[in-house]
Amino acid sequence: MKVVEAIDLTKKYKRKSALDGMTFTLQEEKITGLIGRNGAGKTTLLKTIAGFFRPTSGTLRVFEETPFNNLKVATNMIYIDDEMDFSSYLTLDEVLNAAGTFYPNWDKELAFRLFDYFGFGPNQFHNALSKGMRSTFNAIVGIAARCPLTIFDEPTTGMDSSVRKDFYRALLKDYLSHPRTIILSSHLLNELEEILEDILVINEGKELLHLSVDEMKEYAIAVSGPTAKVNEWTANREVIATKTITDAHAYVVIKNNLNHQDHENAMIKGIKLTSVTPDDLCTYLTSKTKGGIDDVFNRN
């Protein structure tokens, strides 16, 4: 089943396109990573999927419905971000006790076990928590709600490394027991890779890639060696990025459509081929230039 389907989805603010003709589909019961740099359009996309924003043009369907101000979408979805807030009149304990009236699949027992594990006190108030603790509490709500569509928009803001790892592990363990569609927005792909099934990479409001994690691992390959030989060998190939090592040594990332003969030829020419991690690939794809930061120092 298609939980989210976008066709030529566009969202404009005055003359600027926050989303620019995006077309993709998210299937049910998968964890998808939405990856992009700050300002890439991640939050706009997620809030449009959640029904908070109306698209400017194109088609967007969530649970086969138009999501904007849609009760069916709202009752089957939860949106978690670092700006999520709760009543200043309710303690954290009272918030968790009340959540069951909003979320049909709410697991109160799990919520309080996580609550205790992360060191919250029942008489604390949400607006008195540190940024990291607010993010952690919000994440607990997102996990325990078990909504068919669960959206986490940069959920680990302010969390330290150990808490982030615990959050990812808790999310994965509960997902395996209770599968649902989860969208996890972040720019820290290296931390998410082990729990993701799909990765949607966007930049400047456009989708660049939408692949499984396994496909992402095979999508590109790095070519390194003597500059003249590398430049000659990659001349007619799809170059994704270049990195300056020295004047005599080049590092070029290309799309991986090589065959066995290509690998043998590279070896004969003294060219080294190495894999490119999904995290590095996303960095290269979303860079403003193929040379990345090196271009700032290139005076040629």
Side-chain angles (χ1 to χ4, degrees), residues 148-211:
L149 174 58
T150 300
I151 299 174
F152 289 101
D153 187 2
E154 298 282 0
T156 61
T157 300
M159 293 183 191
D160 62 37
S161 177
S162 62
V163 175
R164 293 199 303 270
K165 290 177 181 177
D166 281 340
F167 161 63
Y168 297 139
R169 184 164 179 79
L171 180 63
L172 179 59
K173 287 179 73 67
D174 197 62
Y175 166 79
L176 292 175
S177 299
H178 303 274
R180 62 264 205 193
T181 301
I182 298 174
I183 309 174
L184 194 56
S185 163
S186 180
H187 53 272
L188 300 173
L189 179 56
N190 59 320
E191 293 189 355
L192 303 178
E193 190 177 326
E194 292 186 359
I195 71 170
L196 299 179
E197 295 167 89
D198 284 351
I199 299 174
L200 175 59
V201 185
I202 69 172
N203 191 46
E204 297 182 346
K206 298 180 180 180
E207 78 276 10
L208 300 180
L209 281 182
H210 184 199
L211 300 171

Side-chain angles (χ1 to χ4, degrees), residues 47-88:
K47 287 189 173 181
T48 305
I49 291 172
F52 302 157
F53 296 161
R54 186 197 298 270
T56 303
S57 62
T59 300
L60 178 63
R61 308 283 286 179
V62 178
F63 300 118
E64 301 182 350
E65 304 264 348
T66 300
F68 183 69
N69 282 346
N70 186 297
L71 185 60
K72 177 182 176 181
V73 173
T75 55
N76 285 282
M77 180 277 304
I78 187 169
Y79 178 91
I80 304 291
D81 68 355
D82 63 347
E83 296 181 357
M84 188 178 190
D85 203 2
F86 297 94
S87 171
S88 58

Side-chain angles (χ1 to χ4, degrees), residues 110-168:
L110 173 63
F112 275 98
R113 289 203 307 269
L114 291 171
F115 183 85
D116 291 338
Y117 176 83
F118 286 111
F120 290 99
N123 296 320
Q124 289 180 288
F125 290 88
H126 191 264
N127 60 1
L129 298 174
S130 67
K131 193 172 188 64
M133 290 296 280
R134 283 199 305 271
S135 293
T136 304
F137 183 81
N138 296 350
I140 291 172
V141 174
I143 293 173
R146 290 180 178 158
C147 292
L149 174 58
T150 300
I151 299 174
F152 289 101
D153 187 2
E154 298 282 0
T156 61
T157 300
M159 293 183 191
D160 62 37
S161 177
S162 62
V163 175
R164 293 199 303 270
K165 290 177 181 177
D166 281 340
F167 161 63
Y168 297 139

Side-chain angles (χ1 to χ4, degrees), residues 234-235 237-242 252-255 290:
T234 60
R237 303 182 190 276
E238 185 177 339
V239 175
I240 297 172
T242 61
V252 178
V253 177
I254 63 173
K255 186 173 181 181
K290 288 187 177 181

